[in-house]
Amino acid sequence: MNEEQRKGTSIDILAERDKKEKDYSKYFEHVYQPPNLKQAKKRGKEEVKYNHDFHIDEKYRNMGKGKTFLIKTYGCQMNAHDTEVMAGILGALGYTPIDDINQADVILINTCAIRENAENKVFSEIGNLKHLKKEKPETVIGVCGCMSQEESVVNKILKSFQNVDMIFGTHNIHRLPEILEEAYLSKAMVVEVWSKEGDVIENLPKVREGNIKAWVNIMYGCDKFCTYCIVPFTRGKERSRRPHDIIEEVRDLARQGYQEITLLGQNVNSYGKDIDDLEYGLGDLLEDISKIDIPRVRFTTSHPWDFTDHMIDVIAEGGNIVPHIHLPVQSGNDAVLKIMGRKYTRESYLDLVARIKAKIPNVALTTDIIVGYPNETEEQFEETLTLYDEVEFEHAYTYIYSQRDGTPAAKMKDNVPLDVKKERLQRLNKKVSYYSEKALQQYDGEVVKVLCEGTSKKDDNVLAGYTERNKLVNFEGPKSAIGKIVEVQVDEAKQYSLNGTYLRESESNMVTV
Ligand code: SAH
Ligand code: SF4
Ligand code: F3S
């Protein structure tokens, strides 16, 4: 996006604040609106532009020479991958990464807004940095990620966190060189947040976290507007990358020797729906990617709404698409699902699970669940428990509902006391543990294929990795196994992981075209 387009369309905040000034309101007049559901739902009419021309201007190339950076990342895989892009851009500017926060010249906090406790962690982190900024005023501190898309957060930082030098949003990452330059040049806090998404920008540099597994964005944003969720506001409307760009990226990762990729999107099943000139969905993309020589392909997250039979058929083929499906259900009660805006019922979810299990008998299903939705009754909660028994999920991420300003659910009165919500979460978590353990016990005595990622966090002599169905395996074996898919004899099923003994390198499960 060029400067003209930027001015004309989508700047919500482009403000600089003199740190001595007390009245900040003028910076927000006409330029920033809090998340507005009605407005947000109107979006989607403009065509998405694909920008393949991203480059870093020569004049920025030496900006980071002799300087270091550290990025602290909160939240989901999207954010983890955004961090890799920011690391790529900083690398291209000449900065080098460093682990010691006290030594870093640039510190970026890549934030998550999904629940209140996620935000609280970030505020305490930024607070902790006040001390460092006082001792080393030349350190540049930046706040980015989903929280920077919220007006209340930007206001709070402007008012109470003088130690922050720049705030930039999820649609502004590619502008990091310009934003940094502004931060160096001005004494004021630089704020650049576009609430409306920009183009799909290709060819951004990336420094990936490792050389075994890689994230690959297939789409950005979310149009589902579940009534509790902030993501459609922080990440903008759904924009799919072109199939060719994704396939080229995966081919390149395969050439580099990566063993596993995870296709990323807030709702990957909607992939392609926004591409007008192509009839091409996630099933087609999975089919094309299954022909590439990369041993393992995962995808996340799937919304049950758009899960097609074509996708089930492609996964059922075997090949490199692993039989693990993360299928967030959120609740087992129809009335709660309805007010959540999930657009499926308990019955249709169970029907989808039955179709999946019929075609992919060895599938590992995992899920996300929210307890204590406003006014959730004991009976409604119990339906979540019975649904769990019916599906026998192998794992679940469980949360107490957290009110997010600007979302429809935030306006609902809630008669469920916090201690009741906590007690429900405990009961649910007991069930989750029971079935996770049961799922692991199936492997006792079996031989499993493990992608060895390195040594265990607790013991340098123990190797660790995951099976196709995402089970953590710790085992003793040669260090040469790292980065390879190996066969491991499972000796013991523990509560959260398996213990085993290395047998041999796996016959390549590469796919031959
Ligand atoms: N796009 C994914 C979910 C991304 S957010 C999907 O719909 O499947 C990850 C999980 O966080 C959600 O599945 C939900 O369980 C939880 N979550 C989102 N908003 C929340 C809120 N306001 N309070 C509690 N949990 C929430
Ligand atoms: Fe949030 Fe729903 Fe979109 Fe998932 S699908 S990111 S829960 S709005
Ligand atoms: Fe959090 Fe944003 Fe991901 S709110 S969960 S980092 S999309």
Side-chain angles (χ1 to χ4, degrees):
M1 182 174 283
N2 64 34
E3 202 68 11
E4 260 325 288
Q5 284 169 313
R6 189 160 67 86
K7 280 195 183 118
T9 57
S10 55
I11 300 177
D12 283 298
I13 305 179
L14 186 62
E16 285 192 6
R17 174 175 69 78
D18 186 322
K19 285 182 178 171
K20 287 191 202 94
E21 198 165 336
K22 291 283 175 275
D23 178 18
Y24 320 116
S25 57
K26 69 175 181 189
Y27 294 115
F28 293 100
E29 244 179 277
H30 310 302
V31 286
Y32 191 88
Q33 297 293 318
N36 176 314
L37 183 70
K38 257 197 195 143
Q39 258 180 23
K41 279 199 161 174
K42 273 193 211 139
R43 70 192 185 193
K45 302 280 176 280
E46 321 78 9
E47 203 186 320
V48 171
K49 292 197 186 64
Y50 297 91
N51 178 347
H52 289 85
D53 302 328
F54 177 84
H55 70 281
I56 291 176
D57 201 296
E58 273 312 311
K59 70 178 179 196
Y60 298 129
R61 290 274 172 191
N62 281 328
M63 191 192 261
K65 207 172 169 198
K67 295 196 178 106
T68 56
F69 76 91
L70 180 143
I71 310 177
K72 280 217 153 188
T73 312
Y74 296 84
C76 64
Q77 298 96 329
M78 292 283 166
N79 256 17
H81 191 41
D82 284 350
T83 287
E84 295 180 334
V85 171
M86 293 191 285
I89 296 176
L90 290 169
L93 299 178
Y95 292 90
T96 49
I98 192 167
D99 289 333
D100 180 0
I101 199 159
N102 298 309
Q103 301 292 322
D105 296 305
V106 173
I107 301 169
L108 298 182
I109 316 286
N110 192 5
T111 63
C112 170
I114 202 83
R115 284 170 291 275
E116 193 184 357
N117 57 5
E119 295 205 348
N120 290 343
K121 266 192 233 157
V122 166
F123 281 124
S124 79
E125 175 79 43
I126 306 174
N128 289 340
L129 294 175
K130 280 186 178 171
H131 187 63
L132 191 146
K133 181 76 181 174
K134 217 175 238 164
E135 278 177 12
K136 273 180 64 201
E138 69 283 6
T139 312
V140 173
I141 298 178
V143 176
C144 53
C146 286
M147 278 171 71
S148 19
Q149 296 290 142
E150 293 179 277
E151 184 194 30
S152 57
V153 169
V154 174
N155 275 329
K156 186 168 169 174
I157 295 175
L158 282 165
K159 284 208 174 92
S160 316
F161 295 93
Q162 304 282 318
N163 56 330
V164 171
D165 298 283
M166 51 191 201
I167 309 174
F168 57 100
T170 55
H171 310 304
N172 306 71
I173 288 175
H174 63 291
R175 298 209 2 106
L176 187 51
E178 288 83 0
I179 296 167
L180 257 174
E181 189 191 40
E182 256 179 273
Y184 281 124
L185 291 178
S186 79
K187 295 247 178 308
M189 193 184 302
V190 176
V191 184
E192 186 179 300
V193 180
W194 300 342
S195 89
K196 243 183 82 204
E197 53 287 329
D199 306 336
V200 168
I201 299 170
E202 295 294 343
N203 308 327
L204 288 165
K206 297 173 189 114
V207 173
R208 296 188 190 267
E209 181 74 38
N211 53 11
I212 303 171
K213 303 203 294 190
W215 309 114
V216 177
N217 272 128
I218 64 167
M219 61 185 299
Y220 305 96
C222 180
D223 286 344
K224 287 284 185 273
F225 290 102
C226 303
T227 52
Y228 49 84
C229 185
I230 193 85
V231 172
F233 305 103
T234 64
R235 294 273 168 180
K237 74 166 180 175
E238 287 177 0
R239 287 105 66 211
S240 299
R241 290 178 69 198
R242 304 289 302 188
H244 172 80
D245 292 324
I246 299 168
I247 290 166
E248 275 312 303
E249 182 173 347
V250 176
R251 285 212 177 109
D252 188 44
L253 290 165
R255 278 192 289 270
Q256 291 177 49
Y258 280 86
Q259 299 294 300
E260 178 177 308
I261 56 156
T262 303
L263 307 176
L264 284 184
Q266 282 303 342
N267 171 23
V268 287
N269 306 11
S270 297
Y271 174 75
K273 288 187 172 174
D274 57 311
I275 307 181
D276 289 338
D277 58 347
L278 271 185
E279 272 299 315
Y280 190 92
L282 183 62
D284 303 298
L285 184 67
L286 289 176
E287 210 174 326
D288 282 342
I289 289 179
S290 71
K291 294 174 193 146
I292 300 175
D293 265 356
I294 195 138
R296 282 185 184 181
V297 179
R298 298 182 189 276
F299 56 94
T300 198
T301 304
S302 281
H303 188 297
W305 191 1
D306 303 310
F307 214 104
T308 62
D309 284 329
H310 184 202
M311 285 172 57
I312 300 176
D313 289 340
V314 177
I315 304 165
E317 287 276 307
N320 56 2
I321 319 283
V322 300
H324 169 214
I325 300 174
H326 187 66
L327 196 64
V329 67
Q330 314 300 356
S331 166
N333 172 266
D334 282 345
V336 175
L337 286 172
K338 189 154 193 213
I339 49 169
M340 283 179 163
R342 293 291 288 182
K343 300 200 169 61
Y344 52 84
T345 59
R346 175 189 178 99
E347 195 189 340
S348 65
Y349 185 91
L350 287 173
D351 176 63
L352 172 61
V353 167
R355 279 188 284 134
I356 293 173
K357 285 185 174 174
K359 288 210 169 144
I360 318 167
N362 64 341
V363 71
L365 287 172
T366 56
T367 199
D368 292 347
I369 293 173
I370 297 176
V371 302
Y373 208 65
N375 310 314
E376 181 191 58
T377 64
E378 170 62 24
E379 291 72 32
Q380 289 173 333
F381 168 67
E382 281 171 14
E383 284 202 54
T384 299
L385 295 179
T386 56
L387 179 125
Y388 208 103
D389 287 327
E390 276 191 50
V391 180
E392 299 204 6
F393 293 107
E394 297 203 357
H395 187 63
Y397 297 101
T398 58
Y399 310 101
I400 289 181
Y401 165 72
S402 172
Q403 185 180 313
R404 306 284 67 212
D405 285 349
T407 61
K411 295 193 194 85
M412 291 169 68
K413 279 217 173 100
D414 186 1
N415 65 8
V416 191
L418 185 61
D419 54 348
V420 172
K421 296 184 190 222
K422 285 188 176 161
E423 187 260 348
R424 284 183 191 160
L425 184 69
Q426 263 185 8
R427 277 156 69 201
L428 176 61
N429 284 346
K430 259 197 194 150
K431 206 168 266 303
V432 173
S433 301
Y434 171 80
Y435 285 108
S436 297
E437 221 175 319
K438 187 172 167 195
L440 286 168
Q441 272 156 12
Q442 301 167 33
Y443 295 97
D444 207 353
E446 299 282 311
V447 174
V448 290
K449 283 184 183 170
V450 179
L451 171 55
C452 182
E453 293 180 21
T455 52
S456 135
K457 280 182 197 140
K458 290 182 203 140
D459 184 347
D460 198 40
N461 291 318
V462 175
L463 299 171
Y466 287 85
T467 66
E468 287 185 351
R469 287 190 271 167
N470 220 25
K471 302 287 175 267
L472 173 62
V473 184
N474 293 303
F475 59 101
E476 282 182 21
K479 292 245 162 70
S480 59
I482 295 173
K484 296 189 181 125
I485 294 179
V486 296
E487 290 181 15
V488 174
Q489 170 79 50
V490 176
D491 306 317
E492 187 189 8
K494 312 241 300 179
Q495 197 177 357
Y496 300 108
S497 59
L498 302 167
N499 282 348
T501 313
Y502 171 89
L503 293 178
R504 62 188 80 84
E505 271 181 32
S506 171
E507 293 274 300
S508 168
N509 49 358
M510 290 273 191
V511 187
T512 41
V513 192

